[in-house]
Each structure stands twice: as C-alpha cells, then as structure tokens.
Amino acid sequence: QEGALQQVGGQVVRERSLMAREALEDALRQEAEVALDYDGWRLLLSTLREVENETGAHLGRSLGTEVATRMKSLSGGRYRGAALGADLETEGVMTSQGVQALERFSEGVKEQIATLLRVSVAEHLGTTLVLDDHLAQTDPERSEWFRKLLQESAESIQVVVLTCRPEDYADGEMAGTHVVDLAQSVVRR
C-alpha cells in the first residue's frame, strides 16, 4: 500500500507541477501582452505630445506676426508685439528695450493684447468671436481703432460684442450690425 500511495502521490505532484508551469507560462504571456500594450500607449502619448508641441509653437509663431503688426499699428510703433509662448500664453510685451514683463503694463494694455490675440485666433480658425466688455479700460482713441479692426474682421468671421458701453459702437457706424438693448427689449438695425 505504501508503494501505491507513493506512486499516486508522485502522479499528483507531477500534475500539480505541470499545472503550475502552465499557469506560469500563461502569466508570462499576459505580462508580455500588457508590456506590449503599455509600450504602444506610451508611444502614442509621446507622439501626441510632440505633435501638440509642434502645432502650438507653430500657431504661436504665425499668430505672433499678426498680433505684432496690429500692436504696432495700435500703439503707433511704441509696442512691437507680444511675446507668445507655445501654448499661446502672453509672456510679455516687445518694446524697443526688449521683452517687458506683462505686469509692468496697465490693465487697458493687457485687455488690448488679449483682444488682439482673440481676434487673431478667431480669424485663423475662421470661427465666431465673442467679446464681453473686452475693452472696458481702453481710451476713446484706441476704442475707435478697435471698432475699425472689428469691422474689418466681421467681413470674414462673425463678431459678437456684449457691452455696457454702446457708445463705443455708435449706431449706424457698424455696417450690418444688430444692436440689442436688453434694458429696453428693442432690436435696432
């Protein structure tokens, strides 16, 4: 009986050993598949980040020229443009002394730069531009300059301006405009 038990026990151990080896091989195959998936996802992420960085930098360069041209015109040559980062963040203002920190400028200048950037992005993408009291701290002379810019932009894109200062957009001067006075619930053309 002892011999019979040893043979049965040996067979059971061999079967368990075989099952353990098969389980180990399955686990190793699954690990290899997971590693392959991981490498694929990592490559995809790397490629997407690279494309995003190239596109963002390209957009910043192309819009930088447009913004610079408009800033020169707006400021009478005092400002030469905005230093735009890869993600289109404004890093400063270019002057004859080099790039100056944005904090050194008034809120009005900051609003004007932001508006120029928004107009340029909307024109570049061919999309609608919505501005909400975007030039609240801008002097009348520059407001007039922006009114002309928005008129020019409205030829290629839709421009929607929400403002509590309708005098900045005098009636009749904005061809093809629709003014909605919510206080009086009247639509004028």
Side-chain angles (χ1 to χ4, degrees):
Q1 286 185 346
E2 265 184 46
L5 282 177
Q6 284 179 347
Q7 286 182 345
V8 171
Q11 182 63 27
V12 169
V13 170
R14 277 190 290 272
E15 288 176 5
R16 285 185 182 165
S17 173
L18 181 61
M19 289 173 49
R21 279 190 194 115
E22 289 174 357
L24 176 62
E25 289 172 5
D26 283 345
L28 291 173
R29 272 193 300 274
Q30 288 177 352
E31 179 186 12
E33 289 176 14
V34 168
L36 188 61
D37 275 353
Y38 173 76
D39 288 342
W41 284 109
R42 192 175 61 190
L43 177 62
L44 177 62
L45 177 63
S46 170
T47 303
L48 288 174
R49 282 190 179 156
E50 183 180 315
V51 168
E52 180 182 41
N53 288 338
E54 288 174 10
T55 304
H58 174 67
L59 185 59
R61 283 191 307 268
S62 67
L63 291 181
T65 303
E66 182 70 27
V67 171
T69 301
R70 289 175 170 170
M71 281 186 72
K72 284 179 192 174
S73 173
L74 173 64
S75 68
R78 183 175 178 192
Y79 304 131
R80 296 181 177 178
L84 300 176
D87 294 330
L88 296 180
E89 71 275 1
T90 305
E91 296 173 347
V93 176
M94 293 183 285
T95 66
S96 58
Q97 289 82 32
V99 177
Q100 304 295 320
L102 197 57
E103 295 79 34
R104 296 188 62 202
F105 295 89
S106 69
E107 289 302 313
V109 170
K110 292 175 188 176
E111 287 176 347
Q112 293 161 20
I113 293 169
T115 302
L116 289 175
L117 187 56
R118 288 181 182 115
V119 169
S120 296
V121 168
E123 288 177 343
H124 185 79
L125 298 175
T127 187
T128 300
L129 173 65
V130 178
L131 300 170
D132 184 3
D133 268 335
H134 59 292
L135 298 170
Q137 302 194 34
T138 298
D139 61 73
E141 183 180 302
R142 288 191 177 178
S143 290
E144 174 66 25
W145 187 92
F146 272 101
R147 181 172 41 233
K148 291 176 183 174
L149 172 67
L150 294 177
Q151 283 175 320
E152 291 170 11
S153 296
E155 292 176 11
S156 60
I157 62 169
Q158 181 180 18
V159 179
V160 177
V161 178
L162 307 172
T163 185
C164 62
R165 296 173 32 172
E167 63 275 4
D168 289 348
Y169 308 93
D171 288 32
E173 290 187 22
M174 301 284 283
T177 62
H178 301 281
V179 178
V180 179
D181 186 339
L182 296 177
Q184 298 177 9
S185 298
V186 175
V187 176
R188 298 185 300 249
R189 290 181 183 242

